[in-house]
Amino acid sequence: QVQLVESGGGLVQPGDSLRLSCAASGFTFSSYAMGWFRQAPGKEREFVARITWNGGSTYYADSVKGRFTVSRDNAKNTVYLQMNSLKPEDTAVYSCAKDQSSSTRYYITGAYGYWGQGTQVTVSS
């Protein structure tokens, strides 16, 4: 079965950095695009970043562009999200997801069929 397990979250101060990891199993990881989403309390889940199957293209929400970098290591079945210059508004549960549709609307949750449990990121002074 498909499993996605996020790790690397924690409590940091504004301006700090974190690197999230998502370990994948149960499918041919290198054949699928992967996405990162986040959800803050009381808010809808929102798109953060996406990376194509071979890492050739990446896509970012405007709110994180220039600060976050998504990457993947297909030999390790792992996708990463490097988060720099963190802001309090980045506080959320971050989840990785497996693409299911190859849709050009990659920023919607319906484009992804499997989700990890999420890891908490808290940015506070």
Side-chain angles (χ1 to χ4, degrees):
Q1 70 279 11
V2 173
Q3 291 187 343
L4 303 171
V5 181
E6 301 94 337
S7 62
L11 173 63
V12 298
Q13 296 182 351
D16 284 353
S17 297
L18 282 174
R19 188 179 76 158
L20 307 183
S21 298
C22 173
S25 62
F27 65 100
T28 304
F29 179 76
S30 60
S31 296
Y32 292 88
M34 299 290 293
W36 284 98
F37 285 74
R38 67 187 183 186
Q39 187 169 29
K43 295 186 177 180
E44 295 291 321
R45 184 160 51 186
E46 66 173 339
F47 168 77
V48 175
R50 176 183 174 92
I51 186 166
T52 52
W53 65 275
N54 64 348
S57 297
T58 56
Y59 308 87
Y60 299 94
D62 289 341
S63 58
V64 307
K65 193 172 298 181
R67 299 187 298 120
F68 290 11
T69 303
V70 62
S71 62
R72 67 191 297 161
D73 187 338
N74 285 347
K76 296 181 178 179
N77 284 3
T78 302
V79 61
Y80 305 95
L81 185 67
Q82 178 68 45
M83 305 185 295
N84 297 329
S85 302
L86 283 162
K87 304 175 180 180
E89 50 263 46
D90 295 319
T91 295
V93 174
Y94 285 72
S95 301
C96 66
K98 172 184 176 290
D99 176 77
Q100 69 172 354
S101 68
S102 299
S103 174
T104 57
R105 298 164 64 216
Y106 54 82
Y107 47 87
I108 64 171
T109 59
Y112 304 87
Y114 293 90
W115 300 80
Q117 83 289 345
T119 185
Q120 177 71 48
V121 173
T122 302
V123 185
S124 177
S125 60

